[in-house]
Amino acid sequence: KTGTHLIYLSSSVIYGEHSPDLIKEDDQVKPGTVYGVAKQACENLLRIYEQAFGLKWTVLRLFATYGSGHKPNTFQGIVNIFLTQIMNGNNIIVKGSLKRKRDMVYVEDACEGIMACINNDKALSRIINIGTGQPLEIKELIEKICIALDRDVESLNITEEEGTIGDPFYNSADCSLASEILNYQPNYTIDDGL
């Protein structure tokens, strides 16, 4: 009713299982989780509201976002999960393969992407990936967290368990559209962010 531009934070989980290539916004979406299906439903709702009521919207599909503000836990946020485990002891549970690859974007970079949508007519009715385009193996992530915490990775007891249903093996963003429309360029490497 007010004509407000809605910026909706969706998720890369919406893409589901993909090849090792960087994922583009027009790649097929095939979410394998309830969370991913819910995100897809919300994206569809925005399109319907645009047609029915003229809603102005932008969808940002955030890849694995991490950084300050995440409360330590072992169930949300891939970086947060391993950081919490390593800070609390030597027993590390990995749900899925250590060779899975993830695109991890620091929260400050994600915020830059959000801010760049405000008053940006080029972003209207667009779906845009926000990530880094730099996939990292889970094993490498654990090693980098150990370096940041001055911990010896050899002291960890790492156990691989069965993965979560619908958790993709590869998940990394092609950010060329974000660069073009939002002038988005991630500033933080995983080392900087940690």
Side-chain angles (χ1 to χ4, degrees):
K1 288 179 179 178
T2 64
T4 301
H5 175 195
L6 182 97
I7 300 168
Y8 178 68
L9 302 185
S10 190
S11 170
S12 65
V13 75
I14 201 169
Y15 293 113
E17 193 60 62
H18 266 268
S19 71
D21 300 328
L22 298 181
I23 301 170
K24 296 183 177 183
E25 290 84 354
D26 59 0
D27 283 350
Q28 181 182 6
V29 294
K30 42 189 175 181
T33 64
V34 171
Y35 178 71
V37 169
K39 288 292 189 181
Q40 183 179 20
C42 289
E43 289 186 15
N44 291 338
L45 186 65
L46 294 176
R47 290 186 189 98
I48 293 167
Y49 271 54
E50 177 182 31
Q51 292 169 5
F53 308 110
L55 178 70
K56 294 188 288 187
W57 59 269
T58 301
V59 168
L60 298 181
R61 288 182 179 157
L62 299 179
F63 282 68
T65 308
Y66 69 99
S68 60
H70 238 155
K71 293 182 178 140
N73 69 67
T74 56
F75 56 86
Q76 183 195 38
I78 197 155
V79 174
N80 194 32
I81 288 168
F82 294 122
L83 185 59
T84 300
Q85 289 185 73
I86 293 168
M87 288 175 70
N88 289 333
N90 294 330
N91 295 320
I92 310 304
I93 306 297
V94 179
K95 293 183 179 177
S97 171
L98 282 162
K99 294 184 178 181
R100 284 175 299 146
K101 289 194 172 184
R102 289 291 178 275
D103 185 337
M104 287 158 273
V105 59
Y106 189 60
V107 66
E108 295 288 334
D109 286 330
C111 288
E112 289 295 324
I114 295 166
M115 296 296 289
C117 289
I118 298 172
N119 298 322
N120 183 344
D121 289 343
K122 292 187 291 184
L124 293 175
S125 304
R126 300 302 295 263
I127 294 172
I128 304 168
N129 287 338
I130 299 293
T132 67
Q134 301 294 318
L136 187 71
E137 280 190 4
I138 300 306
K139 181 177 185 291
E140 293 175 274
L141 171 62
I142 291 170
E143 290 167 355
K144 287 181 177 292
I145 291 172
C146 284
I147 291 167
L149 294 176
D150 198 25
R151 292 282 312 271
D152 180 8
V153 73
E154 300 300 324
S155 70
L156 302 179
N157 303 314
I158 300 173
T159 305
E160 287 177 275
E161 292 186 348
E162 187 175 341
T164 305
I165 292 172
D167 186 35
F169 198 88
Y170 299 107
N171 188 259
S172 191
D174 181 318
C175 297
S176 53
L177 189 62
S179 176
E180 175 190 331
I181 292 176
L182 307 177
N183 199 27
Y184 170 80
Q185 203 64 257
N187 293 309
Y188 291 85
T189 66
I190 186 72
D191 298 302
D192 296 332
L194 289 172

